[in-house]
Amino acid sequence: MGATLANLLQQLEPGLELVVLERLPALAAESSAAMNNAGTGHAANCELNYTPQAADGSVPTAKALAINASFERSLELWSSLVERQVLADPQAFIRPVPHLSFVWGEDSVAFLQRRHQALAATPQFAAMVWSTDPAQLREWMPLVMQGRPLDQPLAATRVARGTDVNFGALSQQLLAGVEVRRGHEVVALQRQGPDWIVQVRTADGGLQRFQAPFVFLGAGGGSLPLLQRSGIPEGRIYGAFPVSGQWLVCRNPAVIAAHNAKVYGKAAVGAPPMSVPHLDTRWIDGQRALLFGPYAGFSTRFLKQGSLWDLPNSVRPSNLLPTLQVGLENFELVRYLVGQVVQSAAQRLESLRAFLPEAAAADWELAVAGQRVQIIKQVNGRGRLQMGTEVVCSADGSLAALLGASPGASTAAQTMLELLQQCWPERMAGGAWQQRLRQLIPSWGQDLGGDAELLSRVRERNNRVLGLDPLSR
Ligand SMILES: Cc1cc2nc3c(=O)[nH]c(=O)nc-3n(C[C@H](O)[C@H](O)[C@H](O)COP(=O)(O)OP(=O)(O)OC[C@H]3O[C@@H](n4cnc5c(N)ncnc54)[C@H](O)[C@@H]3O)c2cc1C
């Protein structure tokens, strides 16, 4: 997120003085690192949690359409940056990988069919294909079908134009022309006149101060504590609920080579949306990889290398009650997380075998996936657990923070553009920024979903520049 914002600002305001402060010695080593997320270019092609079934059985599509358009914006930005040679090799951060949703059992198949009917009727998802035919499913995902009993209904949808994104590699490329101070941990923020004084602890234990008229807190899980330290009133209504994740990583080259898709299933009852099981083909450092998960877990840390005191320290008088309410009202979630934490290797293998019936334990290794810090927000005096991302801005637009982690890195361009709109409404409304934005994101200000011709033009360019054309595979 910070890398995207830094790059956007450089494009919109050449000559602007900006610095990125990073606590770790490496760049993009927290949530955006390749192995700390699933690398799915979230376009709502396969993620069933973006289209939850309504009480009357219908499948609302608004969220899926919005996420799809957001991801296309990210692709537009990356395409422009490739054309401007700001990003070097698109293959280093994005590869085409088909996106599939796969379900079994009568109710789930009926749901997937309704989802397909609703989405495929829109220009954005017109290329989504549906099948219940075992032969077709075998062609799409041979390993998933191998050894699978056919005594219950099965169905899948497939979008050939799906992607795998290495957000770590992308962030590093985005930061290549930006001044970055590594080993610089922000520990405090104070207002001084029109500026912010940002206090930093350096790797050698020293203290430094930076002065700036604008600060973005893009610290991932570390954003909430910094927002609280800034003291802005807009931050008082937030608390946090960390959910950690683990993967099973395939170590057998033959199995990795035999699967080429991101296959998303349905979340278990009570499971948070980010725990939807999926089997992911990945491209990491030019090599194909295969991950399954994530298995959810619970840790009070907000960052992988954070402190166990992160959660207790984030509880303030202003968010204590909402946090307790969320704990009490989300009993199914808490029960699910406890179940995940205590599950055995055999139980993890059983979940994997729901996707790969013939998976061998010896081929898979457990690895840490990372932390997601979900938002607890006070709405009408009550605490609500939110699974999305949220930009929080001070009233004067001098400080902004990004909270939450879903749909995450995929929608970074849209999210950072919204941030710019909140913090610099006048500049975004016209003049040089508006002109540069239209060059950077050609569909800027237009409705991708409502204009099929524009959508196909934008997609054609993104496919060409980023090498995503499904027909070329
Ligand atoms: C299991 C899992 C699977 C996911 N799958 C996907 C997916 O498939 N697709 C997708 O789009 N998204 C996915 N996400 C979400 C995605 O990883 C995040 O939304 C995204 O990486 C967040 O980027 P960020 O820049 O906000 O945070 P980060 O990448 O965590 O960057 C924050 C940076 O701030 C630094 N920092 C923290 N505190 C301080 C401080 N005090 N001072 C200085 N520096 C600090 C950190 O070291 C870090 O480098 C997934 C997340 C998880 C956990």
Side-chain angles (χ1 to χ4, degrees), residues 242-260:
V243 178
S244 54
Q246 291 178 312
W247 311 116
L248 282 177
V249 181
C250 186
R251 297 295 178 209
N252 183 335
V255 175
I256 296 169
H259 180 82
N260 180 36

Side-chain angles (χ1 to χ4, degrees), residues 1-2 21-24 30-32 36-40 42 167 184-186 218-220 222 226 247 294 303 369-372 402 405 407-410:
M1 294 288 177
L21 303 169
E22 169 55 57
R23 71 195 279 265
L24 297 176
E30 191 58 53
S31 291
S32 301
N36 293 124
N37 58 74
T40 303
H42 284 308
F167 293 107
H184 279 53
E185 178 167 13
V186 176
L226 293 179
W247 311 116
L303 297 165
Q371 288 291 102
R372 282 206 224 210
L402 182 90
S410 302

Side-chain angles (χ1 to χ4, degrees), residues 184 211 245 314 331 347 385 472:
H184 279 53
Q211 186 165 351
S314 75
F331 183 68
Q347 285 166 320
L385 185 62
S472 68

Side-chain angles (χ1 to χ4, degrees), residues 173-210:
Q173 286 202 31
L174 285 169
L175 289 172
V178 178
E179 182 183 346
V180 184
R181 306 277 178 100
R182 302 167 194 219
H184 279 53
E185 178 167 13
V186 176
V187 289
L189 297 120
Q190 270 163 2
R191 205 74 166 107
Q192 191 176 84
D195 288 342
W196 285 96
I197 302 297
V198 178
Q199 281 190 37
V200 167
R201 191 169 39 232
T202 52
D204 59 7
L207 282 178
Q208 279 188 19
R209 284 155 58 97
F210 292 78

